[in-house]
Amino acid sequence: MRLALPIFRIAALAFACTGLVPTQPAQAEEVKLNEVLRSLFYAPQYVALRTGAFEQEGLKVVGPKTTWGVQAAVTEVVSGNSNIALMGPEAAGLTQEASPDRRLVNFALLTNGDGGFILSKSPMPNFTMADLKGKTIVTAGKGSTPALVLVDLIKKAGLDPNKDVTIRNIPVSANIIPSYLDPSTNFAQAFEPMVVQAVAENRGHRVASVGALAGPMPYTAFMAPASYIEKNPATIQAFTNAVYKGLIWTDTHSAGEIAALIAPDFKEVPVATIEAVIAEYKKVKIWATDPLLRPEGMDQMMALMVDGGILKQRFPYTQVVNASFAQKAIQTIKR
């Protein structure tokens, strides 16, 4: 895989966002951003940062600070160390009994499905979840969103996840592929770039996108404490506008262009690998086309979390989502 795009062309592309005009004054406002992971799955966020979308909206983003875990990310934002966090939208449900200063509310969607893939030790061009019967699959830690999605898919295939399939939960994501390579294991549910690398090394075959199997659902979103949103609506609007611009740029540019742009955010990953990952994500349309978290998607995510024992109950859509900022962004920003 070869990237022949000159650096000057990348720079030009980064600022050639036709119709994406700034809506905030020139005085930049500082916003401290926290992300739960550093991942190519979040590519549109880095695109927005690298194309100057936040500056166009009058914001100076500090970060993103990577906290490496949901609990750490929640603590970071409710403590005031960060203003806005990027993580699974279900995290807002975990804080609903807290005070407004600590109760999180989603306002902008980034990813619209599970970003994992099913890796098999043998080619299976017609793979279905029923093929897991009698087999062993490794996945993320018990109670994690990927693991809950896997169990849900197994159930929907008519299988009993406790009897028909052996599920091995691996808490540390870096250990998923090594565990998959054990002779007793048949499949892995893993994220990128681990899958691209495993396929390139002839250690497995990509047989399915978990996102395609599960269907669209709000998987990663930006959120902030309810009190911060109430006190800073212009800031939240500007931030949402910038996120939308990042989504548009990602949607309208090639995997090679995106890879070259965000490569500085992933210095340990070869650009060719970044491009391959972006190409796979584009195939399955993993990124949201706009920043709106829709009621049906949130209901699906909440049901998954309740079934998995992560949340005690489903919360009303308007309690965990403020849709007004995404709706306004969609109305005012041209694609």
Side-chain angles (χ1 to χ4, degrees), residues 85-121:
L86 174 65
M87 57 184 138
E90 72 280 358
L94 298 172
T95 64
Q96 287 308 298
E97 296 180 0
S99 66
D101 286 340
R102 302 174 68 85
R103 181 170 61 83
L104 298 178
V105 177
N106 296 287
F107 64 86
L109 182 65
L110 190 75
T111 66
N112 198 38
D114 189 298
F117 293 88
I118 303 294
L119 196 64
S120 168
K121 288 182 177 174

Side-chain angles (χ1 to χ4, degrees), residues 229-296:
I229 294 174
E230 183 179 354
K231 294 174 184 175
N232 302 278
T235 300
I236 296 296
Q237 187 62 64
F239 193 97
T240 304
N241 291 351
V243 170
Y244 191 23
K245 291 176 180 181
L247 290 169
I248 293 171
W249 204 98
T250 303
D251 184 50
T252 56
H253 289 76
S254 70
E257 291 166 340
I258 296 165
L261 181 68
I262 69 173
D265 297 304
F266 299 91
K267 294 178 181 178
E268 296 181 0
V269 183
V271 176
T273 298
I274 297 174
E275 181 177 351
V277 169
I278 299 299
E280 291 295 337
Y281 279 143
K282 275 182 162 285
K283 285 179 187 176
V284 297
K285 303 183 185 303
I286 206 65
W287 294 303
T289 55
D290 61 57
L292 181 61
L293 291 96
R294 291 167 170 78
E296 59 275 16

Side-chain angles (χ1 to χ4, degrees), residues 108-331:
L109 182 65
L110 190 75
T111 66
N112 198 38
D114 189 298
F117 293 88
I118 303 294
L119 196 64
S120 168
K121 288 182 177 174
S122 59
M124 301 182 71
N126 300 311
F127 172 84
T128 68
M129 292 301 293
D131 293 321
L132 295 183
K133 187 171 184 178
K135 306 297 184 182
T136 297
I137 183 169
V138 293
T139 184
K142 194 173 181 65
S144 67
T145 304
L148 294 177
V149 171
L150 176 64
V151 168
D152 186 59
L153 288 173
I154 289 172
K155 290 178 178 178
K156 287 178 178 177
L159 302 178
D160 185 333
N162 297 312
K163 296 179 180 179
D164 296 324
V165 183
T166 300
I167 301 173
R168 291 172 51 207
N169 296 100
I170 311 298
V172 179
S173 61
N175 293 334
I176 289 178
I177 296 301
S179 299
Y180 155 77
L181 295 175
D182 185 283
S184 65
T185 303
N186 311 102
F187 297 95
Q189 176 194 17
F191 267 70
E192 298 290 5
M194 293 185 290
V195 178
V196 158
Q197 292 167 340
V199 171
E201 294 166 359
N202 295 316
R203 294 186 172 190
H205 303 266
R206 185 194 304 268
V207 296
S209 156
V210 178
L213 292 171
M217 73 170 72
Y219 207 85
T220 322
F222 293 96
M223 62 192 72
S227 59
Y228 182 84
I229 294 174
E230 183 179 354
K231 294 174 184 175
N232 302 278
T235 300
I236 296 296
Q237 187 62 64
F239 193 97
T240 304
N241 291 351
V243 170
Y244 191 23
K245 291 176 180 181
L247 290 169
I248 293 171
W249 204 98
T250 303
D251 184 50
T252 56
H253 289 76
S254 70
E257 291 166 340
I258 296 165
L261 181 68
I262 69 173
D265 297 304
F266 299 91
K267 294 178 181 178
E268 296 181 0
V269 183
V271 176
T273 298
I274 297 174
E275 181 177 351
V277 169
I278 299 299
E280 291 295 337
Y281 279 143
K282 275 182 162 285
K283 285 179 187 176
V284 297
K285 303 183 185 303
I286 206 65
W287 294 303
T289 55
D290 61 57
L292 181 61
L293 291 96
R294 291 167 170 78
E296 59 275 16
M298 279 303 298
D299 189 59
Q300 181 184 2
M301 177 58 80
M302 287 289 176
L304 190 70
M305 293 298 142
V306 171
D307 290 346
I310 305 303
L311 296 178
K312 295 179 181 179
Q313 65 181 82
R314 299 190 200 187
F315 294 97
Y317 171 76
T318 54
Q319 192 171 328
V320 292
V321 176
N322 185 328
S324 63
F325 302 102
Q327 290 167 340
K328 186 174 181 181
I330 294 168
Q331 292 170 357

